[in-house]
Amino acid sequence: MGTQVTPFSVRQAVTQVRQALDDGANTVVLSGQTGAGKSSALRELASSPLGAFKDVVLIAPPKGEQSLDSGLVALVELAAQLDDNKLLQKVKRNDVRWKGKLEDVTHQLISRAPRTLVLFDEPLLDTSPGPLSSVFADRAADLSRTLLNIKGLRKVVATSSTLPEAHVVEVARRSAPSEILSPDNWDPVLASAAAQLLAAGGDLLTDQSPLELRLRVGLVATGTSPIKAAGPRHALHKLIGQLLEQVGAESTDLKQVLGRLALLRVPFDLEALDDMGAGELSSRCQSLLRQTFLFGPPEGLLLHESIAQEATRWQWLTSHGRIQAHRKAARYHDARYRHSNEKFKVRAAVRHELEVIHHLTHAGDATKLLERSLFFVEQYDALGKVLSQQGRHDEAVHAYKRALAHDSDDAYAHHYLGYNLDILAQSPQQVEAHFKSAIRANPSHVWYHGRHINFLVTRGRVREARSAWEAALDALLPSGSSLNEPLYRELHGALSRLLLHRGQLEFARDVLNDVPLQLRPGLPWYRALRRLHDALWVAASGDEVFPPHISPEEQWKGPHLLHRAADSARVEHWAPGRIAEASSTEVHLRMALPPPPREEPSFVWRDLSIEEYQALALDTKDREELPSAGTFVEVIKFHGETEFLRCHPVIPFEDVDLPYLFPPPDRYLRRGPPGA
């Protein structure tokens, strides 16, 4: 099939898709920028008769960072829409693993392929299984690849990615401003803002999507001049961010409501809107919310996905507020689930049930959630993840044990059961056993290897850690090296940080040396670890003469302790050093003589009586206080003058690029022996 190159409005795009299907296209791609109307076109196709097909299935996996169940929801919705109760019950059984459920649905689709049309909104195509992908992303990608590869199955896919041998219909970011901004379409609160925007923008607004026009009306209503609001085109997220900033400054209550609504993933009604606090807003804020941010009829309202993502990013809700919002959403969906069940609306009931599970999961309500019969092992995994992130590690352990009771080969559950037990410093034998089980089940996952090795280092089993490190390299880097920066950050960075903390300098050096040369210049974490390693290596040799806050590149550009930069021209010679030992009678200094070009510095001892030290000390404070071992100093001599000594201030070694140490390396020591 050829590719359409002319962008179409939503209605025109629907017509073009219909024509392509009538002409026999196997796969049609709806492309276009965010906000162009791809999802609207799919919904219009789903709601209109398509006579050539017996089954028309719309799959719209939830998106966003919290949608751990994206692939699971899509699979259940697919089964529910195929109108086969036996298939749906198979998918909902919790004693069947993901692979078996996906195969059941796939076989059903293959048998129905010639008369079935799948409308797929944003399949996950860009995430493939690999060392850094999570089990949740894997499920969504697995479903997407499986459906798109079924031969003979007709598909319309809304995506920004390219698909082979697909007929492409581009949806334009275009609208009719005079129609959308007509005062008849706005309530009295916003009608004036809409009219001002139309008057200021004119033809400049014709390439704006309906979503963008509504956002610009909101900008005018919250204080932006009409000319500026109608001004140059911005990326959608910037436009949303600008409006959210103005809304946040105008009304704390409205931004709280937006934060709660951003957690809802499916269309909701006025009851849910009130539950989330909209009924308590001023009439002006209610108008802004209803006409600028929300789309759809009263029984099917929705916060546009782009707005929801941006509102979530602003983090207007506290952790407690977010949990309470999830609990309210769970109660709402539970009521809708029961109502749909009584009315035998299978698809709606299933989706509301999935939303109950989703919101209870993110509320961390383990008690209520574990009372239910979950469909997927991955739902126990998701609960464990949320509980672990909330610091409720004992409860996370219970959730992962429930997952393993249903699937003893669940690598994710094995790993994070071991991880949470490790954080709690409980049952080190079980920690190790679960880490090893995760590696056996999925040897290509970097975290599974990395956390096992770090556990061994923490327990003081360095020889075994080296063996595990070599095994990890064989599994993750079979060809010897890679340019996969995240892999090196997660494995080499985390391990060398712990090794340096524990003084295992040779092991840390070997780990850092394994990072490819071509990657090193662009890795801040590598440079920070190398600086720390080199400083510790010099300290271990006893020849440490510079404080750690002075970088190696700057060390021999001293002296560093002059009162004035202009004094550098007066320096005859200088020597950095460190007080190795000090008492009330004598001071022992380890000094370095600046190296000649292209040679190494030489190190000497200089022993002083306390009187000699005080005579050298330039600053009153250094003369009056007894010197402290470990203090860094510089001895400086100006031309024609006697030498003097100055002490560096104590500045702790800090580097924002150093990887974070977690769990606390001393967790087993603080816990004490068993029974203590």
Side-chain angles (χ1 to χ4, degrees):
M1 286 289 177
T3 299
Q4 299 287 352
V5 294
T6 303
F8 298 102
S9 69
V10 171
R11 286 180 188 170
Q12 291 171 330
V14 169
T15 300
Q16 292 294 320
V17 171
R18 284 174 169 277
Q19 185 61 55
L21 292 171
D22 289 342
D23 291 343
N26 185 67
T27 302
V28 181
V29 168
L30 277 167
S31 70
Q33 295 177 311
T34 303
K38 301 189 295 293
S39 298
S40 298
L42 280 187
R43 288 195 295 271
E44 188 169 330
L45 283 165
S47 62
S48 58
L50 294 166
F53 302 100
K54 180 181 178 182
D55 297 308
V56 178
V57 179
L58 174 61
I59 308 172
K63 303 172 184 68
E65 293 181 5
Q66 290 194 322
S67 292
L68 304 177
D69 59 351
S70 175
L72 320 180
V73 169
L75 185 65
V76 175
E77 278 215 301
L78 178 54
Q81 291 179 76
L82 289 175
D83 197 23
D84 184 330
N85 190 56
K86 184 178 179 182
L87 175 65
L88 180 59
Q89 294 311 311
K90 278 186 176 180
V91 172
K92 290 178 66 175
R93 282 173 53 193
N94 62 12
D95 60 340
V96 180
R97 301 177 188 179
W98 167 262
K99 184 178 179 181
K101 296 181 182 191
L102 181 58
E103 287 176 351
D104 286 337
V105 174
T106 302
H107 291 155
Q108 187 66 252
L109 279 173
I110 291 172
S111 68
R112 300 182 180 207
R115 297 292 305 278
T116 299
L117 176 66
V118 173
L119 309 174
F120 206 156
D121 195 359
E122 294 291 350
L124 187 63
L125 302 174
D126 298 329
T127 299
S128 57
L132 295 179
S133 61
S134 77
V135 65
F136 308 109
D138 284 350
R139 296 296 182 256
D142 194 14
L143 174 67
S144 300
R145 287 192 301 269
T146 299
L147 292 185
L148 295 177
N149 288 329
I150 294 177
K151 292 184 179 179
L153 181 66
R154 311 284 291 281
K155 300 166 281 282
V156 179
V157 183
T159 179
S160 55
S161 301
T162 58
L163 295 177
E165 299 180 5
H167 182 109
V168 179
V169 175
E170 185 175 349
V171 185
R173 257 172 109 168
R174 186 183 300 153
S175 58
S178 59
E179 180 180 327
I180 293 173
L181 299 177
S182 169
D184 295 338
N185 294 327
W186 299 83
D187 67 18
V189 176
L190 297 180
S192 174
Q196 292 177 57
L197 178 67
L198 180 60
D203 293 339
L204 293 175
L205 301 174
T206 56
D207 66 343
Q208 303 283 301
S209 69
L211 170 61
E212 290 171 306
L213 290 179
R214 294 178 66 171
L215 294 171
R216 292 179 187 277
V217 170
L219 287 175
V220 175
T222 53
T224 300
S225 72
I227 293 177
K228 187 174 181 181
R233 194 90 178 261
H234 294 296
L236 182 59
H237 74 276
K238 290 185 177 179
L239 185 61
I240 295 170
Q242 185 180 350
L243 179 55
L244 289 177
E245 184 176 7
Q246 293 184 191
V247 165
E250 178 169 304
S251 171
T252 300
D253 292 336
L254 179 53
K255 70 182 185 181
Q256 293 286 310
V257 171
L258 282 169
R260 297 181 195 114
L261 292 176
L263 302 179
L264 299 177
R265 310 189 301 177
V266 295
F268 50 87
D269 58 21
L270 294 174
E271 179 185 343
L273 193 60
D274 281 343
D275 283 347
M276 294 300 176
E280 300 173 9
L281 296 174
S282 68
S283 59
R284 171 178 165 75
C285 286
Q286 288 192 35
S287 291
L288 272 171
L289 175 64
R290 182 67 184 88
Q291 295 208 280
T292 304
F293 292 105
L294 295 178
F295 290 79
E299 69 279 4
L301 298 169
L302 194 63
L303 196 66
H304 191 279
E305 173 194 327
S306 299
I307 299 174
Q309 290 179 354
E310 196 67 19
T312 301
R313 189 182 69 81
W314 283 67
Q315 296 183 337
W316 280 332
L317 298 179
T318 63
S319 296
H320 177 73
R322 192 177 300 110
I323 288 172
Q324 292 305 309
H326 277 299
R327 286 177 174 162
K328 286 182 178 181
R331 289 194 293 270
Y332 165 75
H333 284 293
D334 192 45
R336 306 316 303 160
Y337 158 69
R338 296 177 191 278
H339 175 76
S340 299
N341 223 18
E342 291 171 0
K343 299 294 183 180
F344 300 103
K345 297 180 179 179
V346 176
R347 182 189 176 192
V350 167
R351 186 53 194 269
H352 283 300
E353 188 174 10
L354 286 166
E355 291 306 297
V356 172
I357 293 171
H358 164 77
H359 288 293
L360 287 177
T361 297
H362 286 279
D365 199 335
T367 302
K368 286 186 179 179
L369 192 58
L370 294 177
E371 289 174 354
R372 310 179 73 93
S373 178
L374 302 186
F375 306 168
F376 296 91
V377 170
E378 291 81 5
Q379 289 171 322
Y380 292 109
D381 289 336
L383 174 62
K385 178 175 182 176
V386 170
L387 293 171
S388 181
Q389 289 174 336
Q390 292 179 357
R392 298 160 62 183
H393 301 292
D394 285 311
E395 294 171 271
V397 165
H398 184 53
Y400 288 123
K401 285 182 177 179
R402 289 286 289 270
L404 290 172
H406 291 287
D407 182 0
S408 60
D409 296 326
D410 183 352
Y412 185 92
H414 274 299
H415 172 73
Y416 281 102
L417 176 52
Y419 174 72
N420 280 274
L421 287 171
D422 190 26
I423 290 175
L424 293 167
Q426 291 179 354
S427 309
Q429 295 85 359
Q430 289 187 41
V431 172
E432 183 173 8
H434 286 296
F435 280 162
K436 287 183 174 179
S437 294
I439 293 170
R440 282 194 297 270
N442 185 359
S444 65
H445 203 301
V446 62
W447 289 353
Y448 298 175
H449 289 280
R451 286 179 176 150
H452 175 229
I453 299 166
N454 283 16
F455 164 78
L456 294 172
V457 173
T458 300
R459 298 292 292 171
R461 297 160 60 183
V462 179
R463 183 177 297 178
E464 293 169 81
R466 271 195 176 271
S467 297
W469 159 253
E470 292 167 1
L473 295 181
D474 289 341
L476 298 171
L477 300 166
S479 63
S481 67
S482 165
L483 296 182
N484 183 354
E485 186 274 334
L487 185 150
Y488 289 100
R489 182 177 67 249
E490 300 295 341
L491 183 64
H492 296 61
L495 175 56
S496 56
R497 179 69 182 94
L498 178 61
L499 290 169
L500 292 175
H501 176 80
R502 297 183 66 89
Q504 296 289 336
L505 302 185
E506 291 187 5
F507 192 177
R509 179 195 59 200
D510 294 342
V511 173
L512 291 171
N513 286 346
D514 194 64
V515 177
L517 289 172
Q518 56 267 51
L519 282 180
R520 295 178 188 179
L523 304 180
W525 60 265
Y526 172 85
R527 296 196 300 272
L529 287 167
R530 179 60 75 179
R531 285 193 296 268
L532 178 58
H533 171 272
D534 293 347
L536 292 174
W537 191 273
V538 172
S541 70
D543 290 334
E544 186 181 23
V545 293
F546 291 103
H549 67 270
I550 299 178
S551 68
E553 298 79 14
E554 298 295 321
Q555 286 177 352
W556 293 107
K557 295 180 181 179
H560 303 280
L561 294 178
L562 295 175
H563 282 302
R564 300 183 303 255
D567 287 339
S568 59
R570 302 169 56 201
V571 174
E572 180 178 336
H573 67 77
W574 71 286
R578 173 179 49 85
I579 298 176
E581 295 181 47
S583 68
S584 58
T585 58
E586 56 187 358
V587 178
H588 301 287
L589 296 173
R590 185 61 166 169
M591 306 295 297
L593 302 179
R598 295 182 296 278
E599 291 186 22
E600 294 296 317
S602 56
F603 294 89
V604 298
W605 288 99
R606 184 169 179 179
D607 300 326
L608 302 172
S609 68
I610 193 65
E611 291 79 15
E612 290 172 325
Y613 173 85
Q614 291 171 338
L616 277 177
L618 180 65
D619 297 332
T620 303
K621 179 176 177 291
D622 295 333
R623 286 197 300 270
E624 293 178 350
E625 294 183 0
L626 287 175
S628 175
T631 301
F632 291 95
V633 302
E634 288 184 1
V635 175
I636 303 170
K637 185 179 184 304
F638 290 150
H639 290 286
E641 299 183 20
T642 59
E643 63 180 7
F644 61 89
L645 176 148
R646 296 197 70 200
C647 297
H648 281 276
V650 177
I651 301 176
F653 180 81
E654 294 180 355
D655 195 322
V656 295
D657 293 323
L658 277 176
Y660 183 57
L661 272 173
F662 188 82
D666 62 343
R667 56 195 179 279
Y668 288 95
L669 295 175
R670 286 190 285 107
R671 186 172 181 84

